[in-house]
Amino acid sequence: MLKKFFFLFLYTLCVYDSQAQELLSQVTVVTSRVNNQVPRSTFVTLEKALNNFVNNRKWTNDKFAANERIKANFLLNIESTTEPNIYSGFLTVQAARPIFNTSYSSPIINFKDEAVYFKYIEFQQLDFNENRVTGTQPLQDNLTAIFAYYVNVILAFDYESFAPKGGIPYLLKAQNIINNAPDGRGITGWKAFDGLRNRYWLIENMLNTKYVVMHDVYYDYYRNGLDQFYEKETEGRVAVMKVLEKLETFNTDNPNTMINQFFFQGKGSELLRIFSKAPPGDKQKALAILTKYDINNAALYREGLK
């Protein structure tokens, strides 16, 4: 009987491992700017529901072992509007990619979406159907559409870092969400005319055949660059330098694209560490490129790579 129980336990464990969901995420809802008339329990329920939505749903057909799940964070910072049960705010999305043979995880996404607008009533079901993104309640559907979009973005860039153009299926899923996104008063971020750096433009840039080199950028940076550092540091650094050169050419030919800024976000300290040990010539070359195209971290590079 004990032996039978033992094998049943092993079977259950194996099934769990083989069916583990893709993301291991933490969703946090910040409500410091929500008026006190709304019960706090509403947002405790919302936070739990969003964690379940992201972590317990199967987003791909691939099998992920428990230790392969992609680590991510979603910080939803909201405030009340003048209408009951309707909230606006911003969503910060972060995801990391483990680097081969190390305990280090590299930031692959670090993006702040400032166009969050939705309706939520406590215990409201968080439904999402990729074949029918919007139902009869666009303001309620907008919340799950935004989260589903960013889950697919995380999957896309993670897959891109392991295989050339590996993320295209998930970019196409994100594009499908854009094409069928909720529409209504107050809902923005899904259309080209909603701004220069939004959900629409991120996917447009990655699927635009003129910008195909960006697929090489992500693959080369992670697989040929960072993954080589443990055993072949010099070769890894050379590969990252080639990525910077590709980005320089790309930006000369295609100035002010969203995907360039998106690539650099969250990588300042990492790029500084990579090139702080480079030969003087490479260090200066990296400094010239980084200060020109990663403007937010220009002072960091000037100080650390001088």
Side-chain angles (χ1 to χ4, degrees), residues 64 70 96-98 108 153-163:
F64 277 61
I70 303 167
R97 193 268 207 192
I108 196 166
V153 166
I154 290 170
L155 290 168
F157 284 97
D158 187 79
Y159 276 66
E160 288 282 324
S161 75
F162 285 104

Side-chain angles (χ1 to χ4, degrees), residues 208-220:
N208 191 325
T209 54
K210 286 175 55 182
Y211 306 156
V212 68
V213 70
M214 290 306 301
H215 297 275
D216 298 332
V217 163
Y218 274 90
Y219 178 75
D220 290 343

Side-chain angles (χ1 to χ4, degrees), residues 4 24 28 36 42 65 67 71 95 129 150 184 224 236 239 287 295 298:
K4 181 178 180 181
L24 183 61
T28 303
N36 294 328
T42 299
N67 64 335
K71 293 181 180 178
N129 183 340
Y150 281 112
N224 295 330
L287 177 62
I295 297 172

Side-chain angles (χ1 to χ4, degrees), residues 14-181:
C14 289
V15 169
Y16 173 80
D17 281 347
S18 67
Q19 296 179 347
Q21 272 65 25
E22 298 84 356
L23 267 63
L24 183 61
S25 301
Q26 177 63 49
V27 181
T28 303
V29 178
V30 179
T31 60
S32 55
R33 300 178 67 183
V34 175
N35 67 58
N36 294 328
Q37 296 177 347
V38 184
R40 297 297 100 178
S41 63
T42 299
F43 306 109
V44 174
T45 304
L46 173 60
E47 186 174 276
K48 182 177 180 180
L50 286 170
N51 274 287
N52 287 335
F53 179 76
V54 171
N55 290 312
N56 296 336
R57 182 185 178 95
K58 199 78 175 75
W59 297 96
T60 76
N61 294 322
D62 294 337
K63 294 180 179 179
F64 277 61
N67 64 335
E68 294 176 332
R69 298 176 74 181
I70 303 167
K71 293 181 180 178
N73 286 298
F74 297 82
L75 179 65
L76 178 61
N77 198 314
I78 59 175
E79 61 181 291
S80 301
T81 67
T82 56
E83 299 179 66
N85 305 315
I86 296 179
Y87 306 94
S88 64
F90 60 85
L91 177 67
T92 302
V93 182
Q94 298 174 318
R97 193 268 207 192
I99 301 306
F100 180 68
N101 254 343
T102 76
S103 59
Y104 175 69
S105 290
S106 169
I108 196 166
I109 293 174
N110 186 10
F111 183 68
K112 183 179 180 181
D113 186 326
E114 298 186 352
V116 175
Y117 192 77
F118 65 96
K119 182 176 183 179
Y120 178 75
I121 301 171
E122 190 171 11
F123 303 115
Q124 164 190 318
Q125 194 74 23
L126 298 187
D127 293 322
F128 177 75
N129 183 340
E130 64 181 29
N131 297 316
R132 186 179 58 81
V133 175
T134 305
T136 59
Q137 301 288 334
L139 274 177
Q140 293 183 9
D141 295 334
N142 199 42
L143 181 62
T144 49
I146 290 172
F147 270 83
Y149 168 87
Y150 281 112
V151 167
N152 280 292
V153 166
I154 290 170
L155 290 168
F157 284 97
D158 187 79
Y159 276 66
E160 288 282 324
S161 75
F162 285 104
K165 299 181 181 179
I168 286 181
Y170 306 102
L171 293 170
L172 291 172
K173 286 188 175 186
Q175 185 183 58
N176 178 65
I177 296 172
I178 292 169
N179 292 340
N180 297 282

